[in-house]
Amino acid sequence: MKVNVLKQERQIMGVSKWETAGYNGCLSYYPGVGKTYTAFLAIKRIESFNKGVYLIVVPSEVLLMQWKKKIESFFNKGECQRIIVLTINKLLQDNC
């Protein structure tokens, strides 16, 4: 797999700035910059000191399926079981 070093550096820098801000804030990237992988890096950083459950909310069923596939290829089975992906509609239906 060919790795875009500049893209990877930007993702790592974004997660580092998020850490410095006390794990608060929002990363805003253009399409194709690697928001999914950046989120995975953020989860891995948190996992290093706090094993928890992670909720990822996406806007559509199409993105839900894409995220689930990518999660299964990036994380091990134990980590996957602690990552929940929902669409915004499902989240609102279950909690209103």
Side-chain angles (χ1 to χ4, degrees), residues 21-66:
Y23 304 96
N24 291 304
C26 180
L27 295 171
S28 177
Y29 291 148
Y30 293 106
V33 174
K35 293 177 291 293
T36 303
Y37 184 69
T38 303
F40 293 168
L41 289 176
I43 290 171
K44 285 284 192 182
R45 293 266 182 102
I46 295 171
E47 279 280 302
S48 68
F49 63 87
N50 183 14
K51 304 283 188 228
V53 175
Y54 306 95
L55 174 64
I56 298 170
V57 181
V58 297
S60 69
E61 289 289 329
V62 171
L63 285 176
L64 175 90
M65 299 312 296
Q66 288 176 3

Side-chain angles (χ1 to χ4, degrees), residues 8 26-27 30-31 44-45 64 71 73 76 79 91 93 95:
Q8 194 174 39
C26 180
L27 295 171
Y30 293 106
K44 285 284 192 182
R45 293 266 182 102
L64 175 90
I71 287 167
S73 68
N76 68 45
E79 292 168 329
L91 184 67
Q93 287 172 356
N95 293 297

